[in-house]
Amino acid sequence: MRRLFPVTDQTPARSQDGADREWSLDELADAYAYPALAADGRWLRANMVSTLDGAAQHEGRSQPISGETDMRIFGTLRALADVVVVGAETVRQEGYRPARAREAFAARREAAGQGPAPAIAVVTASMDLDFSLPLFTSPLVPTLVVTGAAAPSDRVAEAEAAGAEVVVAGEGAAVDAARAVRELAARGLRRQLTEGGPRLLGQFVAADVLDELCLTISPTLTAGGAQRIAGGPSVTVPHRLAPACVLEEAGFLFTSYRRI
């Protein structure tokens, strides 16, 4: 893996022995470490993949445009987070399971005061979820369901009966993206990672609460009408981010851009 340009003092410009090789998980974790947070601070980063022609999915799923190193970075970003925030449609499409504890990151998480694995927080207005799935019934860390105050009460009760924690982050049925971020941070889940989908990422962008975008550019073309990485209404003024990290392997570019 090669670094195309260095961006932070804490990140090595290339692998520690100077060779173009696969980075260790520790090196990846150093490269993608969250910034230091104030006592009341939080940091929301997104992790998405896109083809060269702008598709975030192929036939409804991101896996076909991903690759082995992309999945290593995916796992590393999860291992650094307190919570993984994901939309209900992505949970249904991608077959989400609970996050698992990984021995390679155990000491790092303990030193940061984190539990053994990140929580999964599912954002949903309709509560149209299968609460019999392992994501809800047997997670290592209880799954959170983020919804609005007007969510169907019977579905809320079903979620709680399955062991999920219901977080209210909106006055109606819909979720207020900025409030969702605040509610999670108030529960000590301050290192936040969203994996989309595009609709949820678009809501975070529109609410101007996204601090960092980790974007994998896949060396593929798909054409068709697949979604972009962020959907929904456009913002009035485009949000400008600054490059923080660019890596390359096997034609894939692994980029990170942070809020200026």
Side-chain angles (χ1 to χ4, degrees):
M1 181 181 292
R2 295 180 295 164
R3 175 170 296 282
L4 301 187
F5 56 85
V7 289
T8 64
D9 293 338
Q10 68 179 6
T11 305
R14 58 196 303 120
S15 53
Q16 292 177 353
D17 59 8
D20 290 339
R21 59 164 175 81
E22 183 179 83
W23 282 21
S24 69
L25 291 177
D26 274 340
E27 288 171 319
L28 285 176
D30 287 341
Y32 286 99
Y34 279 82
L37 300 178
D40 59 348
R42 55 89 188 152
W43 189 267
L44 174 64
R45 66 166 33 143
N47 182 31
M48 302 292 284
V49 59
S50 171
T51 65
L52 294 173
D53 53 345
Q57 304 162 337
H58 181 62
E59 297 182 344
R61 300 181 65 237
S62 60
Q63 188 277 332
I65 62 174
S66 182
E68 182 178 351
T69 301
D70 186 41
M71 295 310 298
R72 280 168 56 83
I73 291 176
F74 174 92
T76 299
L77 293 177
R78 277 195 163 201
L80 297 173
D82 296 328
V83 61
V84 178
V85 190
V86 63
E89 181 63 21
T90 297
V91 167
R92 292 188 289 264
Q93 290 282 348
E94 303 281 354
Y96 262 60
R97 299 185 63 83
R100 60 189 177 92
R102 299 182 62 186
E103 182 61 31
F105 297 98
R108 186 180 292 264
R109 290 188 65 86
E110 183 177 2
Q114 296 172 299
I120 304 292
V122 184
V123 178
T124 176
S126 67
M127 299 288 289
D128 181 17
L129 295 163
D130 184 352
F131 295 115
S132 69
L133 294 176
L135 176 62
F136 301 102
T137 61
S138 57
L140 187 61
V141 179
T143 294
L144 299 98
V145 176
V146 184
T147 191
S153 58
D154 58 331
R155 300 296 290 164
V156 169
E158 190 173 348
E160 292 175 335
E165 178 184 351
V166 176
V167 178
V168 175
E171 296 305 318
V175 172
D176 179 314
R179 181 172 167 183
V181 168
R182 294 195 304 269
E183 291 288 347
L184 292 172
R187 288 163 170 77
L189 305 173
R190 303 191 300 130
R191 303 174 189 90
Q192 301 172 1
L193 169 68
T194 180
E195 296 170 351
R199 187 183 310 168
L200 179 61
L201 179 55
Q203 292 172 10
F204 285 135
V205 171
D208 196 20
V209 292
L210 186 70
D211 299 295
E212 180 180 2
L213 172 63
C214 297
L215 176 64
T216 296
I217 301 174
S218 171
T220 56
L221 297 168
T222 63
Q227 290 179 292
R228 298 163 47 196
I229 65 167
S234 64
V235 297
T236 303
V237 178
H239 299 171
R240 184 73 178 267
L241 304 180
C245 177
V246 180
L247 306 173
E248 182 274 339
E249 186 174 73
F252 284 81
L253 293 181
F254 307 99
T255 73
S256 172
Y257 290 84
R258 290 186 171 184
R259 178 189 293 274
I260 296 174

